[in-house]
Amino acid sequence: MSPRLRVYLGPTSNSHLTDAIERAGGELVPLEDAEAAVWTSQDPQTWAKHDERGHLRWVQLLSAGVENWFDADVLDADRIWTSAAGAYARPVAEHALALLLALRRRFVESARTTRWEPLEGTSLRGSRTAIVGCGAIGRALIPMLASVESDVVAVTRSGSPVEGAIESHDPSTLTEIWPRVDAVVLAAPATDRTRHLIDAAVLDQLPSQAMLVNVARGSLVDTDALVAALTDGSIAGAGLDVTDPEPLPTGHPLWTMPNVLITPHVANPPSSLPLRLADRVAENVQRYITGQELLGIIDLEGRY
Amino acid sequence: MSPRLRVYLGPTSNSHLTDAIERAGGELVPLEDAEAAVWTSQDPQTWAKHDERGHLRWVQLLSAGVENWFDADVLDADRIWTSAAGAYARPVAEHALALLLALRRRFVESARTTRWEPLEGTSLRGSRTAIVGCGAIGRALIPMLASVESDVVAVTRSGSPVEGAIESHDPSTLTEIWPRVDAVVLAAPATDRTRHLIDAAVLDQLPSQAMLVNVARGSLVDTDALVAALTDGSIAGAGLDVTDPEPLPTGHPLWTMPNVLITPHVANPPSSLPLRLADRVAENVQRYITGQELLGIIDLEGRY
């Protein structure tokens, strides 16, 4: 039996994390005896003020974004730092699947009606879904869509093949893709390049049965153009967990459109966080012990 | 290359079926030259009045239930008869998944609100779903639930192991199962044994976070008991594609409850039927040619 990895868990602790570390082959020890640390505070100052930490070879942080850790200038090159980036991908992907199914099955109208009327939807089976952005969320969505037999067209910056997708493209071919997809799921980061990626021109190219799902950031969609496209029937529906502006103001036309489902930025329900984090910690402890590359390694040069 | 199977397609035809037969290795021929027939009429009299059919060794019918064919007394033992039983399972299973996701994610409330408010749901991941009845629909649902990491407890008449389920039970252990599931999906046939399977006692045993999904028949649920359980919070929600009475009358309390989604018996959308049937025909033509057991063989003794 290989020796257990000596892990410090702190400054605070919870049973999900202690269980995760121990089941993955770690042993909980005081900071001064540890080779690795799972640092539970989101506040970089908690790290800065601890002594007895210079000997750590690996520190696991628990947030997905680590801008504040860079800002506080505590991420040094003396050890490996990992974040929880990607650990929250599965619940977000599940939310995208739920929105897409709800739109195809006309659940918005079903939820609003108070009488038995012919609200017949369509199955996802045999449909084609474009996933724009195939990071952790997009990749997590692919097997979910496969389980209901929807084909995936992946759009990534590089265009290199994405596992499980029937086609993989870079953004240069988007105008050729839009007319032949039944749904678009946005899972790309908010950058200058993706701002208003879905604008009036794109909405015009999508087929009239197309559904738009956004679980990324509101800025990827030109909201006014979306309202216009839904009004004139250029596309068939939208499921938005993020909006622009956000929160979506009371009185906004999207609230009452027949095939539009707005959820208030809850794709990643807080209730699922402890388990997600525990899984990520367990996975990384196991990888560390067996010498595999850790998940979520922070790029000190690229600052992400 | 093996000789192509000579298949008659009629009395009517469509391109999905001709394509399906040909891609599976069949050759379309007149009735008198055929070894097998895909009989497209739902009316048994169309069969009875055709001559030149005695030599057929296999007849594929296109309905799932064949009571009227038995009633018309045309199903003889001179050949194999197959129905489309089970061919519609996947869209129904997909609808069950969609209902379950919509309930967990609080889409009913989201569809009804007109302002940004904290409607935070829960992920299916890590939850436990009981599927009652693991025929074609229940079995089709298992990989869909696996894709979102919900564990399946299968309940069947025999209790024999169901592939993909973490537990398989016969109905004798139901009282032990109810308290520890997060969702119940009904996919069992309507029989005397399943009538009011979900009654006040069962609803009382389910945990308060439990969701009930019915894509089978309304008679499996005691509707009044369900209304009471939803009102007093014994369970958390219900997604019903079938109701008792059906149609659900206007004014019924289920229409306006906060976490109840009623869909009007549309789990199997008619728009998906041609493709489903074509898939089943292709599958059976291929099985016939390669000597495998056909799907949906009609039991002439059991009359189903």
Side-chain angles (χ1 to χ4, degrees):
Chain A
M1 219 178 115
S2 53
R4 298 179 77 79
L5 176 65
R6 287 168 288 110
V7 181
Y8 168 72
L9 172 65
T12 63
S13 166
N14 73 52
S15 63
H16 291 300
L17 291 173
T18 54
D19 291 354
I21 291 166
E22 287 175 346
R23 77 165 184 263
E27 176 190 7
L28 292 167
V29 298
L31 180 55
E32 60 269 28
D33 300 328
E35 177 173 346
V38 174
W39 203 262
T40 54
S41 172
Q42 310 270 354
D43 176 4
Q45 299 311 324
T46 60
W47 169 264
K49 71 184 181 207
H50 266 78
D51 295 330
E52 313 290 352
R53 50 176 171 66
H55 59 288
L56 291 170
R57 291 169 57 191
W58 163 44
V59 180
Q60 170 75 56
L61 303 177
L62 297 186
S63 53
V66 289
E67 299 90 347
N68 58 331
W69 289 78
F70 278 112
D71 293 346
D73 206 26
V74 298
L75 302 182
D76 54 49
D78 300 340
R79 68 205 94 244
I80 300 168
W81 295 85
T82 53
S83 75
Y88 310 120
R90 295 191 64 99
V92 177
E94 183 191 302
H95 197 78
L97 174 71
L99 287 171
L100 192 50
L101 284 167
L103 295 174
R104 294 278 292 200
R105 296 283 180 164
R106 297 178 68 180
F107 283 176
V108 179
E109 291 154 282
S110 295
R112 290 175 184 167
T113 191
T114 55
R115 61 189 180 83
W116 196 269
E117 55 178 320
L119 287 170
E120 177 195 314
T122 51
S123 165
L124 268 181
R125 187 257 184 189
S127 69
R128 194 183 284 125
T129 301
I131 301 179
V132 180
C134 284
I137 295 168
R139 288 198 311 275
L141 179 57
I142 294 176
M144 299 180 190
L145 287 171
S147 83
V148 292
E149 298 175 83
S150 181
D151 291 332
V152 168
V153 175
V155 181
T156 61
R157 244 155 73 155
S158 70
S160 41
V162 174
E163 193 183 331
I166 58 160
E167 301 172 26
S168 301
H169 297 274
D170 68 46
S172 69
T173 53
L174 280 172
T175 54
E176 181 269 320
I177 293 167
W178 300 132
R180 56 190 184 78
V181 295
D182 303 295
V184 177
V185 176
L186 300 177
T191 65
D192 289 347
R193 297 159 61 108
T194 59
R195 184 179 153 74
H196 286 198
L197 177 74
I198 305 296
D199 60 10
V202 169
L203 290 161
D204 198 49
Q205 290 167 65
L206 288 168
S208 59
Q209 81 277 10
M211 309 289 186
L212 174 69
V213 168
N214 191 359
V215 289
R217 285 292 180 266
S219 65
L220 273 67
V221 178
D222 177 342
T223 304
D224 292 342
L226 176 62
V227 169
L230 288 162
T231 305
D232 70 16
S234 302
I235 70 167
L240 308 174
D241 188 53
V242 289
T243 58
D244 179 22
E246 185 175 310
L248 192 68
T250 302
H252 195 283
L254 284 174
W255 284 117
T256 50
M257 296 184 123
N259 206 14
V260 173
L261 185 54
I262 308 291
T263 57
H265 208 142
V266 289
N268 180 21
S271 56
S272 69
L273 294 190
L275 279 174
R276 290 283 148 192
L277 282 175
D279 280 355
R280 168 59 67 93
V281 167
E283 173 76 27
N284 264 355
V285 167
Q286 199 164 27
R287 283 171 177 249
Y288 189 95
I289 291 171
T290 57
Q292 294 175 272
E293 188 180 9
L294 300 181
L295 299 176
I297 291 179
I298 296 173
D299 181 333
L300 298 180
E301 300 282 314
R303 293 175 65 89
Y304 62 86
Chain B
M1 216 176 115
S2 55
R4 298 178 76 80
L5 176 66
R6 286 167 289 112
V7 181
Y8 168 72
L9 171 66
T12 61
S13 168
N14 73 51
S15 62
H16 292 299
L17 292 173
T18 55
D19 290 354
I21 291 166
E22 287 174 346
R23 77 165 184 261
E27 174 189 11
L28 293 167
V29 298
L31 181 56
E32 59 268 28
D33 300 328
E35 179 173 344
V38 175
W39 204 261
T40 53
S41 173
Q42 311 269 355
D43 177 4
Q45 299 310 323
T46 59
W47 169 264
K49 72 185 180 204
H50 266 77
D51 295 332
E52 314 288 353
R53 50 175 171 68
H55 59 287
L56 291 170
R57 292 170 57 190
W58 163 43
V59 180
Q60 169 76 56
L61 303 177
L62 297 186
S63 52
V66 290
E67 301 88 347
N68 60 331
W69 289 77
F70 278 111
D71 294 345
D73 207 26
V74 298
L75 302 182
D76 53 48
D78 300 340
R79 68 204 93 245
I80 299 168
W81 295 85
T82 52
S83 75
Y88 309 120
R90 293 191 66 98
V92 176
E94 183 191 301
H95 197 77
L97 174 72
L99 287 171
L100 192 51
L101 284 167
L103 296 173
R104 294 278 291 199
R105 295 284 181 164
R106 298 178 67 182
F107 283 177
V108 178
E109 291 153 281
S110 294
R112 289 175 185 166
T113 191
T114 55
R115 61 188 181 87
W116 195 270
E117 56 179 319
L119 288 170
E120 177 194 314
T122 50
S123 164
L124 268 181
R125 189 259 182 186
S127 69
R128 194 182 284 126
T129 302
I131 301 179
V132 181
C134 285
I137 294 168
R139 288 198 312 275
L141 180 57
I142 293 174
M144 297 179 192
L145 286 171
S147 84
V148 291
E149 298 175 84
S150 180
D151 290 333
V152 168
V153 175
V155 181
T156 62
R157 244 155 73 157
S158 69
S160 41
V162 174
E163 194 184 331
I166 59 159
E167 301 173 24
S168 302
H169 297 274
D170 68 46
S172 69
T173 52
L174 280 172
T175 53
E176 182 269 320
I177 293 167
W178 300 133
R180 55 189 185 81
V181 296
D182 303 294
V184 178
V185 176
L186 301 176
T191 66
D192 290 347
R193 298 159 63 106
T194 59
R195 186 180 152 72
H196 286 197
L197 176 74
I198 305 297
D199 60 11
V202 169
L203 290 161
D204 198 47
Q205 290 167 65
L206 288 169
S208 59
Q209 82 276 12
M211 309 288 186
L212 175 68
V213 168
N214 191 358
V215 290
R217 287 290 181 267
S219 64
L220 272 67
V221 177
D222 178 341
T223 304
D224 293 341
L226 176 62
V227 169
L230 288 162
T231 305
D232 70 17
S234 304
I235 69 167
L240 309 174
D241 188 53
V242 290
T243 59
D244 180 21
E246 185 175 310
L248 191 69
T250 302
H252 195 282
L254 285 174
W255 285 117
T256 50
M257 296 185 122
N259 206 13
V260 174
L261 185 55
I262 309 291
T263 57
H265 207 145
V266 289
N268 180 21
S271 56
S272 70
L273 295 189
L275 279 173
R276 289 284 146 191
L277 282 174
D279 280 354
R280 169 58 65 93
V281 166
E283 173 76 27
N284 264 354
V285 166
Q286 199 166 26
R287 283 171 176 249
Y288 189 96
I289 291 170
T290 57
Q292 294 175 272
E293 189 179 9
L294 300 180
L295 299 176
I297 290 178
I298 296 172
D299 180 333
L300 298 180
E301 301 281 315
R303 291 176 67 88
Y304 63 87

